[in-house]
Amino acid sequence: MKTTVSMRLGAAVAACTMLAGGPALAQDASLDPNFGSVSLRAGFTPDPMVVRIAAGGNINVNDASSLGGQCVGMITDAPDYRIHYTAQPGVRLTIRIRSQADTTLVVNGPDGQWYCNDDIGSSINPGVLYRTPRSGVYDIWVGTYGSDPAPAEIRITEME
């Protein structure tokens, strides 16, 4: 299932969803991330930065959020990962997920907006591209369609 918005991950990438609104009920960005955090400055190396996690959780983000029903997947309350990012003009930031399972992505950006994606292109992997990223905190949740956790990688890059 694809969500809709105006952002694109290049020619082969499907649309992502950007949603504004109040805080989501399922996602609690005040909690410590399940798999840690990192501080990155534009031009970071290695690029991509890869973080291995277990995707999924016991909360259906579609039912338990105030995101207008646009986000999908089973997630945890706490973010899976947190990025403290220092942006630079002209440098894009992409957050993608790689997994053998069908995963979903929910990101709370430093602008307070919620970004959701299910599949990009013909892939079952999600991603969000920030063409003009802001400096600040990006909280990331990686969901699955089932209740079982799935091995996944969060791939953070400025090269796409």
Side-chain angles (χ1 to χ4, degrees):
M1 173 179 170
K2 291 188 176 107
T3 56
T4 58
V5 298
S6 60
M7 293 198 290
R8 292 177 36 167
L9 285 173
V13 176
C16 300
T17 297
M18 182 177 107
L19 296 168
L25 300 175
Q27 303 90 341
D28 187 347
S30 71
L31 296 174
D32 289 336
N34 298 322
F35 299 96
S37 62
V38 67
S39 293
L40 298 174
R41 298 182 70 76
F44 63 85
T45 57
D47 186 348
M49 187 188 138
V50 178
V51 180
R52 288 176 176 78
I53 67 161
N58 61 351
I59 298 167
N60 185 332
V61 69
N62 191 308
D63 293 340
S65 76
S66 62
L67 300 177
Q70 296 300 309
C71 295
V72 294
M74 301 297 289
I75 63 167
T76 61
D77 280 327
D80 288 311
Y81 201 69
R82 179 172 291 144
I83 303 168
H84 300 269
Y85 184 69
T86 303
Q88 177 180 321
V91 177
R92 296 177 178 190
L93 179 67
T94 303
I95 301 168
R96 296 187 73 166
I97 307 305
R98 181 180 289 173
S99 178
Q100 295 298 316
D102 192 358
T103 54
T104 64
L105 178 61
V106 177
V107 180
N108 186 341
D111 55 3
Q113 303 287 323
W114 291 92
Y115 302 83
C116 303
N117 187 252
D118 182 0
D119 301 328
I120 53 175
S122 61
S123 167
I124 60 171
N125 293 303
V128 175
L129 165 69
Y130 296 91
R131 294 185 185 280
T132 54
R134 293 184 180 192
S135 293
V137 175
Y138 293 78
D139 284 307
I140 302 166
W141 287 261
V142 183
T144 58
Y145 279 99
S147 58
D148 294 330
E153 293 178 347
I154 299 172
R155 302 177 67 80
I156 306 158
T157 184
E158 297 172 324
M159 295 190 297
E160 295 183 19

